[in-house]
């Protein structure tokens, strides 16, 4: 799903560029119209093709949700890690273009965008190699190292001015790690969260991430008392916290530990 999501985004960019190129005077109107049409088509396909029926009433769902989600500290660690990741991804898409074009630099953003998505596709293809085979890594270990790498990437971006080439390389490394982290977190959710409660768990993790994004947008755009570097540094801190969550989850987790040096 992570791989094809990135592929669909690249295809959407190609379609948007083609529609804008047909009539430049109309600007983004053709691409906006196409996005509305595709959204309606997607809603129709999902509503007609969805065959699964809810297996529990709302009261039963609420009871199960509070029992599993709020009663298991390991799920709270997953929620916190997911929230930190979602916050960093949202912050990246807000700041990546202003960071590249700072000081009046001329950059072809239309060429960099598919490169970032290609890096995410590459990271998602690495995931099956790491978790399968006799010398497979533990999922928590993969996430721990990936979150640490993301934290250092954001720290470098927040610390100092960088050239275009270095920034693009760091951005691609960020998305490659994101492509690895997303299916890894999904695998952990299958281990700790029942199937019917996973959507609620993801929504629970999105709530603090979206609230933090809204807060920083108000501080930066309205009050103007915080800089972009401080926002990126805060995201880096969140990623290091997510790495700590994975370390604790490894100690409390269900997955049996297997030392690959002894295989």
């Amino acid at each position: 799903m992570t791989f094809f999501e990135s592929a669909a985004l690249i295809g959407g960019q190609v379609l948007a560029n083609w529609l804008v190129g047909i009539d430049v005077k109309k600007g983004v109107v053709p691409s906006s119209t196409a996005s509305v049409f595709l959204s309606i088509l997607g809603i129709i396909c999902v509503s007609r093709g969805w065959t699964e029926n809810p297996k529990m009433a709302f009261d039963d769902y609420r009871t199960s949700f509070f029992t599993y989600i709020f009663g298991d500290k390991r799920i709270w660690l997953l929620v916190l890690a997911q929230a930190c990741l979602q916050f960093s991804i949202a912050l990246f898409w807000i700041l990546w273009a202003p960071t590249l074009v700072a000081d009046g630099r001329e950059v072809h953003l239309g060429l960099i965008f598919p490169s970032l998505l290609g890096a995410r596709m590459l990271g998602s293809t690495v995931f099956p190699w790491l978790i399968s085979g006799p010398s497979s890594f533990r999922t928590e270990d993969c996430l721990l190292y990936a979150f640490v790498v993301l934290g250092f990437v954001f720290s470098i971006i927040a610390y100092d001015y960088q050239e275009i080439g270095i920034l693009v390389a760091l951005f691609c490394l960020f998305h490659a790690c994101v492509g690895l982290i997303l299916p890894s977190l999904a695998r952990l959710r299958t281990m700790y969260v029942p199937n019917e409660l996973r959507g609620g768990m993801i929504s629970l993790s999105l709530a603090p991430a979206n609230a933090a994004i809204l807060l920083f947008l108000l501080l930066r755009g309205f009050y103007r008392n915080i800089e972009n570097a401080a926002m990126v540094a805060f995201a880096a801190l969140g990623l290091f916290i997510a790495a700590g969550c994975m370390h604790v989850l490894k100690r409390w987790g269900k997955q049996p530990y297997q030392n690959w040096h002894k295989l």
Side-chain angles (χ1 to χ4, degrees), residues 109-188:
L109 298 178
L111 298 178
I112 297 177
F113 179 75
S115 301
L116 302 179
L117 297 177
R120 181 180 293 194
M121 296 169 68
L122 180 63
S124 64
T125 56
V126 173
F127 168 73
W129 298 348
L130 294 178
I131 66 170
S132 61
S135 60
S136 59
F137 290 92
R138 189 171 177 177
T139 307
E140 291 90 339
D141 289 330
C142 296
L143 286 170
L144 173 61
Y145 299 141
F147 275 125
V148 169
V149 171
L150 289 185
F152 279 114
V153 167
F154 266 46
S155 300
I156 295 173
I157 296 173
Y159 177 72
D160 195 9
Y161 172 88
Q162 303 293 336
E163 295 295 334
I164 293 295
I166 298 177
L167 281 176
V168 173
L170 291 174
F171 290 172
C172 289
L173 179 60
F174 171 81
H175 278 277
C177 292
V178 169
L180 173 63
I181 289 174
L182 289 177
S184 300
L185 286 175
R187 186 167 189 257
L188 290 181

Side-chain angles (χ1 to χ4, degrees), residues 1 41-56 195-199:
M1 290 179 63
L41 182 62
I43 293 174
I44 294 174
C45 292
V46 171
S47 60
R48 296 204 172 193
W50 189 262
T51 57
E52 183 178 353
N53 295 320
K55 298 180 180 180
M56 61 175 65
N195 183 43
E196 60 273 8
L197 300 179
R198 290 172 197 161

